[in-house]
């Protein structure tokens, strides 16, 4: 049996697989740039609509959020990718991922932003309005900045989860980082490309995990 | 035939559903079993790590932080793929079930450690000092004074995180664990009809929706009293 280093950290194979993995990383980053803003926009819509005094507006929103918190994103993705074609709706892997992640992420971001907006005292809104700011301006310049500050750790944490979630796209053959690594592994019969992919994820996400830890501890101390 | 009938005939074919119900039910049992094992082992390991960290022995704390950071940064699917497809090269071939269980347990333990540790830190230092000065030992202080207060603040975030990670059992379908999603996908390819997928989706909602509602209740029940 070949040695541990030769098996898992085979530099020759890693070097050969690197261009392919970097291409996968490019797709992963593209996916992140697409699904994070979409998810935040959807979540903001959920959070703002939730301010409605009408119960028949708030109720479906809670249902929407709780449904997607209960529904595994992979199941949603498979349903869109493998189920919809039976109804004559052919959507590619990229569209399936974009729609599935939008539904899932907007629920999670919605819950975070809703909690943020609720954490800002009502007086802030009233004071802003009474100085003559219009409702959208009061929301944009007075309430939202404080709301975002109050839930910043959750917002960063959720975004981290979204980035990690993009690895699910490999299951529907979207050539992102994990998919590229699996391909390289099956071509070389060696697990080094997967180890390399894991290292790339670590290098990419570790700074954000550290940042998150610091934010969380600061929130604890400030209480 | 209008659009709804066509939709129902495709996605809600009761014949197909009835035929594959036993398979999906077996998958349901596997998912529940896997989820329970992940929750038990993940929370226990997370709590153990947080308690070890409270000893404040530097080298040990550094190792724990390394473990936590590692499994908070790596996507769970990458961990599963590493265990299932890479470990056999080292002479250990875990089954898909074991690979999924171990990966999700490690991920949950990392998040749980961080939440428990945050809870322990949130207990004011005076509580420690007061308990120790009454003659309680380190372990007794931790068990009877600090942990009961710490657990209280950790319950809402812990519930949400546990639900999110437990949903990851669906990832087992990638490494041939015949849980709900995999059973449904197999049934779809045999029947060439997506109704089993609808049934599988319904099974997930039946399983996790009450848990999410429970989480919401916990959130209000244990809310910070300010």
């Amino acid at each position: 049996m070949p040695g541990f280093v030769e098996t898992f950290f085979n530099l020759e194979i890693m070097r050969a697989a690197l261009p392919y993995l970097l291409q996968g990383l490019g797709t992963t980053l593209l996916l992140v740039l697409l699904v994070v803003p979409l998810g935040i926009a959807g979540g903001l819509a959920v959070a703002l609509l939730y301010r409605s005094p009408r119960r028949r507006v708030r109720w479906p929103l809670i249902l929407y959020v709780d449904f997607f918190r209960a529904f595994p994103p992979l199941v949603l993705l498979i349903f869109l990718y493998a189920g919809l074609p039976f109804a004559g709706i052919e959507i590619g892997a990229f569209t399936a991922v974009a729609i599935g992640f939008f539904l899932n992420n907007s629920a999670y971001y919605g819950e975070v932003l809703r909690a943020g907006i609720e954490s800002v005292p009502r007086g802030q809104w009233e004071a802003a309005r009474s100085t003559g700011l219009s409702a959208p301006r009061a929301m944009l310049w007075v309430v939202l900045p404080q709301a975002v500050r109050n839930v910043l750790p959750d917002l960063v944490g959720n975004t981290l989860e979204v980035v990690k979630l993009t690895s699910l796209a490999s299951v529907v053959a979207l050539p992102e980082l994990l998919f590229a690594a699996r391909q390289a592994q099956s071509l070389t019969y060696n697990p080094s490309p997967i180890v390399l992919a894991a290292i790339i994820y670590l290098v990419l996400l570790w700074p954000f995990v550290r940042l998150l830890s610091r934010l969380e501890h600061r929130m604890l101390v400030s209480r | 035939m209008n659009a709804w009938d066509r939709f129902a005939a495709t996605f809600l074919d009761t014949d197909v559903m009835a035929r594959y119900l036993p398979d999906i039910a077996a998958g349901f049992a596997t998912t529940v079993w896997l989820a329970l094992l992940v929750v038990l082992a993940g929370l226990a390991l997370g709590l153990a790590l947080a308690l070890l960290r409270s000893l404040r022995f530097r080298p040990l704390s550094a190792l724990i932080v390394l473990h936590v950071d590692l499994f908070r940064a790596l996507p769970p699917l990458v961990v599963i793929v590493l265990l299932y497809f890479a470990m056999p090269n080292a002479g250990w071939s875990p089954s898909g079930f074991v690979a999924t269980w171990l990966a999700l347990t490690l991920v949950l333990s990392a998040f749980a450690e961080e939440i428990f540790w945050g809870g322990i830190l949130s207990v004011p230092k005076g509580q420690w000092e007061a308990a120790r000065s009454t003659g309680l030992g380190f372990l007794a202080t931790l068990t009877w004074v600090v942990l009961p207060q710490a657990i209280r603040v950790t319950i809402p975030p812990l519930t949400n995180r546990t639900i999110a990670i437990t949903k990851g059992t669906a990832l087992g379908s990638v490494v041939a664990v015949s849980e709900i999603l995999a059973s449904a996908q197999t049934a779809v390819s045999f029947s060439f009809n997506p109704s089993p997928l609808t049934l599988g989706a319904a099974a997930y909602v039946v399983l996790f929706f009450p848990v999410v509602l429970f989480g919401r209740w916990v959130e209000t029940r244990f809310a910070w009293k300010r």
Side-chain angles (χ1 to χ4, degrees):
Chain A
M1 209 175 97
F4 181 81
V5 172
E6 216 178 305
T7 308
F8 289 100
F9 296 92
N10 193 317
L11 287 181
E12 224 170 291
I13 288 176
M14 281 187 175
R15 197 173 302 140
L18 189 62
Y20 195 55
L21 261 61
L22 288 181
Q23 216 176 333
L25 177 64
T27 308
T28 292
L29 293 178
L30 193 73
L31 213 49
V32 168
L33 285 181
L34 178 78
V35 298
V36 169
L38 271 180
I40 291 179
L44 198 56
V46 169
L48 290 178
L49 282 173
Y50 192 81
R51 283 167 50 86
S52 163
R54 283 174 225 276
R55 294 185 74 151
R56 61 164 188 272
V57 175
R58 289 207 311 260
W59 240 90
L61 285 173
I62 294 195
L63 198 67
Y64 173 81
V65 168
D66 281 357
F67 180 83
F68 285 108
R69 289 208 302 178
F71 208 65
L74 182 60
V75 180
L76 183 63
L77 192 55
I78 298 289
F79 199 88
L80 291 170
Y81 182 72
L84 284 188
F86 284 98
I89 307 167
E90 283 288 348
I91 55 173
F94 201 84
T95 319
V97 169
I99 296 174
F101 281 21
F102 173 73
L103 292 173
N104 183 69
N105 296 339
S106 57
Y108 275 91
Y109 276 121
E111 186 67 6
V112 171
L113 290 170
R114 180 185 68 79
I117 290 176
E118 278 175 4
S119 74
V120 178
R122 181 123 199 112
Q124 293 286 324
W125 168 259
E126 285 157 3
R129 293 287 283 139
S130 72
T131 63
L133 284 183
S134 65
R137 274 167 197 266
M139 182 44 82
L140 189 62
W141 299 116
V142 179
V143 177
L144 272 184
Q146 300 184 66
V148 168
R149 190 199 58 195
N150 289 350
V151 290
L152 196 58
D154 289 339
L155 222 46
V156 173
N158 200 46
T159 306
L160 189 64
E161 291 307 306
V162 173
V163 177
K164 286 157 60 181
L165 210 59
T166 58
S167 62
L168 296 194
S170 65
V171 179
V172 294
L174 193 77
E176 45 69 75
L177 182 52
L178 180 58
F179 185 83
R182 294 280 315 276
Q183 292 266 296
Q185 179 218 10
S186 56
L187 284 176
T188 57
Y189 298 105
N190 181 288
S192 297
I194 299 182
V195 174
L196 183 58
I199 293 173
I200 294 176
Y201 275 115
L202 273 183
V203 169
L204 193 68
L205 297 179
W206 201 331
F208 292 98
V209 172
R210 282 280 99 230
L211 172 75
L212 187 56
S213 276
R214 287 183 53 186
L215 284 175
E216 280 168 349
H217 284 187
R218 208 172 60 192
M219 286 303 253
L220 272 173
V221 172
S222 74
R223 273 203 175 115
Chain B
M1 205 149 101
N2 63 31
W4 165 250
D5 287 337
R6 235 181 3 250
F7 175 82
T10 313
F11 286 94
L12 302 167
D13 189 324
T14 43
D15 287 346
V16 175
M17 280 185 179
R19 202 176 334 138
Y20 290 99
L21 187 63
D23 292 348
I24 308 270
F28 190 83
T30 306
T31 295
V32 171
W33 183 224
L34 182 56
L36 282 178
L37 289 179
V38 167
V39 171
L40 286 178
L43 293 183
L45 183 57
L47 182 60
L49 290 173
L51 293 180
L52 283 175
R53 197 169 165 188
S54 72
L55 297 174
R56 296 189 185 267
F57 177 56
R58 272 181 176 265
L60 192 62
S61 297
L63 279 178
I64 293 172
V65 171
L66 188 70
H67 168 87
V68 169
D69 279 13
L70 187 67
F71 288 104
R72 285 206 333 171
L74 282 179
L77 186 56
V78 173
V79 183
I80 293 175
V81 165
L82 263 175
L83 288 175
Y84 187 75
F85 292 104
M87 275 303 143
N89 292 69
W92 180 51
S93 308
S95 67
F97 189 91
V98 170
T100 310
W101 169 76
L102 187 56
L104 295 181
T105 296
L106 291 171
V107 171
L108 179 57
S109 78
F111 280 95
E113 191 281 338
E114 203 54 15
I115 295 172
F116 281 128
W117 177 240
I120 292 175
L121 283 186
S122 76
V123 177
K125 220 176 160 62
Q127 295 284 327
W128 276 100
E129 291 160 356
R132 291 307 298 273
S133 71
T134 64
L136 285 182
F138 174 81
L139 218 60
T141 305
L142 194 63
T143 322
W144 301 112
V145 179
V146 177
L147 275 186
Q149 300 181 65
I151 298 277
R152 198 184 153 78
V153 301
T154 58
I155 281 183
L158 204 56
T159 315
N160 284 332
R161 183 54 62 186
T162 305
I163 296 170
I165 291 169
T166 316
K167 287 193 311 185
T169 52
L171 300 181
S173 64
V174 178
V175 291
V177 181
S178 37
E179 41 67 74
I180 300 174
L181 180 59
S183 320
Q185 281 181 289
T186 311
V188 169
S189 58
F190 277 126
S191 64
F192 206 67
N193 178 286
S195 301
L197 214 46
T198 315
L199 199 58
Y204 278 108
V205 175
V206 166
L207 183 57
F208 285 111
F209 202 68
V211 186
V212 169
L213 292 185
F214 171 74
R216 237 183 225 293
W217 176 79
V218 160
E219 232 166 47
T220 48
R221 174 73 180 68
F222 289 85
W224 277 81
K225 302 263 190 311
R226 282 189 244 212

